Amino acid sequence: MEEGQDLTYLNGSKAWWRDLLWNESRPCSNSVGGTTFLIVAYSTVIAVGLIGNTCLVFVISRQKEMRNVTNIFIANLSCSDILVCIVCLPVTAIYTLMDHWIFGEALCKVTPFIQCMSVTVSILSLVLIALERHQLIIHPTGWKPVVGHSYLAVAVTWMVACFISLPFLAFSVLTNHPFQNLSLPFNPFADQVVCMERWPTESQRLAYTTSLLLFQYCLPLFLILICYLRIFLRLRRRREMVERTREARRKKDKNIQRVNGMLAAIVAAFALCWLPLNVFNTLFDWNHDAIPACHNAIFSACHLIAMASTCVNPIIYGFLNSNFQKELKASLYRCRCGGAPESYESFPLSTVSTDATKMSSLRNGSLSITT
């Protein structure tokens, strides 16, 4: 390949020029069953992610206690997932099945840009939630973030994510290069193009992809792990200290532990969903010979698992939360009947207190699951 022609597939799927799927032998072509599975799987992820996250943002926005730091960060996480479900997932699914690009140059640049931006917003939102929980529990009498801080943090998160994702706008291009050298008597792909990244040098591409791996995955998860580990140790020590105190105090600490467990589950699910795709891309960047021949099927599986992370937030935070379920039912009732049922007055998503406030709820950023 000529200098300056380093190309990579959209969304992290790499360019194996020796054995592209457009090769005349096509040893790894999608079967009817495989194609059907991909269609059903991507459609399910899109539907669950879009409906679930939309409901979650809707319920949080309707809460009387919506001025809650953690809820704002959760809603921000859901908004980034909604963006992926609307723009990236349908385009990627069709591109994977068709093996060529039909959406034009604008979407060729915008789609990977939005996906990179969304992943960055998601992981930074999880970091902000962990830092907020750490501050509230480790330093309950110290500084506490307020709603204004959370909106500022959300704005900064999106600006940082846009800046990090800019190379995709610059280097994503349409090209027919994979179809030019096919040894076929008649080339049916002559007028087809693919959406790829063209970097000036291989070293620049490696530097950027490695930086993304560190900034979008490794370092944030390490920081989150440290925060929740310190929180766990603090709550365990406090539980030992209050074992001889009032029952109400023990229930309160147990409630906080359940909240932290739920938030930790969201982080763990995000990490597990994105692990296969990160491993896949890292292997190709540094040792692509270690990847089996049917790389397209492997990439599709890894990408699908990563995109399943868009469904994690509404399932763990929302549909396992009885307060969320009650508020959603109340909202549906209002839409259907034009009024609110008398039995539904308020369903706050945040009901955790700390040593400093001694109240039944923290106005500045904690939440709980009531079951």
Side-chain angles (χ1 to χ4, degrees):
M1 189 179 299
E2 298 178 2
E3 182 179 0
Q5 295 297 312
D6 175 41
L7 302 176
T8 57
Y9 277 111
L10 175 66
N11 294 326
S13 180
K14 306 304 180 180
W16 292 266
W17 300 108
R18 302 190 307 272
D19 56 348
L20 278 168
L21 291 181
W22 297 288
N23 187 281
E24 55 185 315
S25 61
R26 297 179 65 82
C28 300
S29 299
N30 289 331
S31 63
V32 175
T35 300
T36 303
F37 172 77
L38 286 178
I39 293 175
V40 173
Y42 272 108
S43 300
T44 301
V45 171
I46 292 172
V48 175
L50 188 58
I51 296 173
N53 284 291
T54 301
C55 290
L56 186 54
V57 173
F58 174 75
V59 169
I60 291 177
S61 66
R62 289 184 60 87
Q63 284 288 319
K64 293 181 180 180
E65 296 184 358
M66 66 169 292
R67 294 187 179 276
N68 175 290
V69 176
T70 302
N71 286 350
I72 292 172
F73 291 151
I74 289 288
N76 187 50
L77 180 61
S78 288
C79 287
S80 68
D81 289 338
I82 290 172
L83 195 59
V84 170
C85 291
I86 293 176
V87 179
C88 301
L89 275 171
V91 171
T92 303
I94 295 173
Y95 186 32
T96 300
L97 294 172
M98 297 189 67
D99 287 338
H100 65 275
W101 189 261
I102 62 172
F103 299 103
E105 185 175 4
L107 274 180
C108 175
K109 294 179 176 295
V110 169
T111 301
F113 171 79
I114 289 179
Q115 179 159 305
C116 181
M117 181 176 62
S118 174
V119 174
T120 305
V121 169
S122 297
I123 191 62
L124 291 182
S125 296
L126 294 174
V127 169
L128 289 173
I129 292 172
L131 291 175
E132 185 236 1
R133 298 298 300 173
H134 181 273
Q135 179 66 19
L136 289 176
I137 294 174
I138 302 298
H139 306 289
T141 59
W143 176 84
K144 295 180 180 62
V146 297
V147 173
H149 297 147
S150 66
Y151 286 123
L152 177 62
V154 166
V156 171
T157 294
W158 283 94
M159 288 189 291
V160 170
C162 287
F163 177 77
I164 291 174
S165 307
L166 284 177
F168 288 103
L169 291 179
F171 299 128
S172 296
V173 297
L174 293 179
T175 178
N176 63 350
H177 183 89
F179 305 109
Q180 290 178 347
N181 300 320
L182 295 180
S183 55
L184 296 172
F186 170 73
N187 186 0
F189 309 107
D191 298 328
Q192 295 180 357
V193 294
V194 292
C195 179
M196 297 180 174
E197 300 163 33
R198 177 180 286 124
W199 289 81
T201 64
E202 173 71 6
S203 60
Q204 291 183 8
R205 182 185 68 83
L206 280 176
Y208 180 70
T209 56
T210 304
S211 299
L212 278 184
L213 176 65
L214 294 175
F215 186 79
Q216 285 186 338
Y217 193 77
C218 298
L219 294 180
L221 290 177
F222 178 75
L223 178 59
I224 292 171
L225 177 63
I226 295 298
C227 288
Y228 281 116
L229 180 60
R230 293 196 65 192
I231 290 172
F232 170 77
L233 294 176
R234 171 60 62 89
L235 290 177
R236 188 175 68 175
R237 287 196 300 265
R238 193 165 72 181
R239 185 175 65 247
E240 294 172 353
M241 294 173 59
V242 301
E243 282 182 352
R244 293 181 295 275
T245 62
R246 295 180 298 122
E247 181 67 20
R249 181 66 229 176
R250 288 197 294 269
K251 289 183 178 179
K252 194 175 297 183
D253 285 347
K254 187 178 294 185
N255 190 36
I256 295 175
Q257 291 172 357
R258 291 167 58 198
V259 173
N260 294 330
M262 180 202 68
L263 295 173
I266 293 177
V267 175
F270 181 91
L272 291 175
C273 286
W274 280 95
L275 179 61
L277 187 58
N278 281 316
V279 171
F280 179 90
N281 287 338
T282 302
L283 278 177
F284 177 78
D285 284 338
W286 299 100
N287 186 21
H288 58 268
D289 291 332
I291 299 177
C294 292
H295 45 73
N296 194 52
I298 297 174
F299 166 74
S300 296
C302 294
H303 185 263
L304 189 58
I305 294 172
M307 293 299 99
S309 65
T310 60
C311 306
V312 167
N313 190 30
I315 291 176
I316 296 179
Y317 178 83
F319 293 104
L320 295 182
N321 187 330
S322 60
N323 285 337
F324 173 84
Q325 297 170 16
K326 292 176 182 177
E327 179 62 29
L328 182 60
K329 290 177 182 178
S331 299
L332 294 176
Y333 185 90
R334 294 186 192 102
C335 294
R336 183 179 60 186
C337 303
E342 295 181 359
S343 58
Y344 292 146
E345 297 178 358
S346 175
F347 301 101
L349 295 180
S350 180
T351 57
V352 178
S353 63
T354 66
D355 291 335
T357 59
K358 301 296 183 181
M359 295 189 300
S360 61
S361 66
L362 255 181
R363 290 189 296 272
N364 293 328
S366 55
L367 74 164
S368 69
I369 304 177
T370 303
T371 57

